[in-house]
């Protein structure tokens, strides 16, 4: 099943989703979405992840429905468009609910809303999914419903369980690597050194273009390195004196947007990146290299120069 395709959904899950679900001990989920297809797909995936949908609402009624729910494990918010004032209100509600421990939220949105969503949501407990596949949604739901333990899947979902397990392992590996990197940078960089001789933004951009050329002969997945790609892009922007929005940085990462957002949030948590408000637009933030990360990059280029690398 791909995208919003409902082929294969049981009839009981293709309609009647606004009715309250019968009680069970499965984690309760509220779905806020305008499109009936999105509600049906989410209900199907919630069941696959081990939860149950206890109520649904349109975006305009989402805040009231969420406030009315006494207890729930998670909420899924589908933002197909900005939906007037309802989008910001729901994002703020999800952020505050996650911070207070009331519930965890999964927010699905199109690429056009990346900057606004990232400017509004800062709680790590909110799962952000940009143009997600069903697998992305299933992984996020499983994480939201069972954050502290693994879950056994039915026979028909065994391959999905294996993929989800690998995703969890990979996320843990990434977090550990970033923690090590940020610790090394903090310990080894008391101040930011000057840029190496003759290093200019065009040299960094040329290195980025060379990295992209690998995709002409090999699969991009073989060389995926979003952390390095984003840090190079931010260094070039710093040398150019320009600001980088989240949407632009996701493009530089050269991976799916949801993956890029996960990296940006983790790298920010570990002190490699910093958020900066756009003074002209409250719906957007900029991302910068932290001082330790900038110092580490400049030292790397200096060492490359000492080894014989010449940008021109």
């Amino acid at each position: 099943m791909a995208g919003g395709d409902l082929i294969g959904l049981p009839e009981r899950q293709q309609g009647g989703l606004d009715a309250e679900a019968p009680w069970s001990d499965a984690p309760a989920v509220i779905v806020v979405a305008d499109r009936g297809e999105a509600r049906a797909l989410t209900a199907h995936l919630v069941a696959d992840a081990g939860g149950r949908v206890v109520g649904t609402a349109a975006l305009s009624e989402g805040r009231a429905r969420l406030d009315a729910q006494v207890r729930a494990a998670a909420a899924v918010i589908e933002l197909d468009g900005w939906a007037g004032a309802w989008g910001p209100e729901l994002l703020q509600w999800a952020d505050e609910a996650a911070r207070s421990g009331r519930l965890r939220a999964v927010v699905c949105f199109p690429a056009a809303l990346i900057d606004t969503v990232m400017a509004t949501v800062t709680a790590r407990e909110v799962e952000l999914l940009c143009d997600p596949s069903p697998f992305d949604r299933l992984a996020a739901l499983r994480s939201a419903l069972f954050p502290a333990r693994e879950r056994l899947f039915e026979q028909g979902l065994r391959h999905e369980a294996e993929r989800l397990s690998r995703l969890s392992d990979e996320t843990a590996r990434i977090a550990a690597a970033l923690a090590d990197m940020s610790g090394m940078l903090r310990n080894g960089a008391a101040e930011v050194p000057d840029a190496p001789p003759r290093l200019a933004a065009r040299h960094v951009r040329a290195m980025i273009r060379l990295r992209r050329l690998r995709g002409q002969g090999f699969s991009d997945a073989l060389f995926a390195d979003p952390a390095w790609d984003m840090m190079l892009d931010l260094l070039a922007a710093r040398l150019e004196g320009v600001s980088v929005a989240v949407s632009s940085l996701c493009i530089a990462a050269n991976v799916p947007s949801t993956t890029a957002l996960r990296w940006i949030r983790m790298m920010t948590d570990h002190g490699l990146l910093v958020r900066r408000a756009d003074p002209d637009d409250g719906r957007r933030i900029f991302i910068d290299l932290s001082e330790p990360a900038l110092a580490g990059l400049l030292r790397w280029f200096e060492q490359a120069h000492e080894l014989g690398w010449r940008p021109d």
Side-chain angles (χ1 to χ4, degrees), residues 196-208 210 232 235 297-298 300-312:
R198 301 171 62 189
L199 179 65
R202 69 179 186 278
H203 304 137
V204 183
R205 296 290 183 200
M207 181 175 291
I208 294 172
L210 283 173
L232 288 176
L235 175 59
L297 272 173
L298 292 179
W300 184 88
F301 275 100
E302 183 177 10
Q303 292 168 345
H305 184 81
E306 292 173 354
L307 291 172
W309 175 76
R310 297 293 183 268
D312 289 326

Side-chain angles (χ1 to χ4, degrees), residues 70-228:
V70 177
R71 294 188 63 182
V76 179
I77 300 173
E78 298 272 352
L79 298 179
D80 295 323
W82 198 228
W86 309 118
E89 182 180 62
L90 288 167
L91 288 174
Q92 291 169 2
W93 190 98
D95 193 61
E96 293 168 3
R99 289 186 178 282
S100 67
R102 178 173 178 178
L103 54 71
R104 298 171 72 93
V106 177
V107 180
C108 305
F109 55 94
L113 297 182
I114 284 180
D115 287 314
T116 307
V117 171
M118 282 291 285
T120 307
V121 178
T122 58
R124 291 288 289 115
E125 295 79 8
V126 179
E127 295 278 353
L128 301 181
L129 306 180
C130 181
D131 293 327
S133 67
F135 173 70
D136 293 328
R137 294 169 184 265
L138 182 60
L141 283 166
R142 180 174 178 270
S143 176
L145 296 178
F146 304 101
R149 65 182 177 88
E150 295 294 329
R151 174 180 174 274
L152 294 178
F153 279 68
E154 298 297 333
Q155 176 69 26
L157 293 172
R158 180 169 296 171
H159 70 288
E160 296 290 2
E162 293 172 352
R163 294 177 70 189
L164 288 169
S165 178
R166 289 197 298 271
L167 178 63
S168 297
D169 292 343
E170 180 69 5
T171 300
R173 185 191 67 78
I174 292 169
L178 289 176
D180 289 343
M181 183 188 302
S182 60
M184 291 171 60
L185 291 176
R186 284 194 298 270
N187 293 333
E191 60 183 30
V192 178
D194 294 331
R198 301 171 62 189
L199 179 65
R202 69 179 186 278
H203 304 137
V204 183
R205 296 290 183 200
M207 181 175 291
I208 294 172
R209 288 194 296 273
L210 283 173
R211 291 172 61 76
R212 293 291 177 271
L213 286 175
R214 297 177 304 185
Q216 295 183 9
F218 306 93
S219 168
D220 283 337
L222 184 62
F223 300 107
D225 192 358
W228 186 245

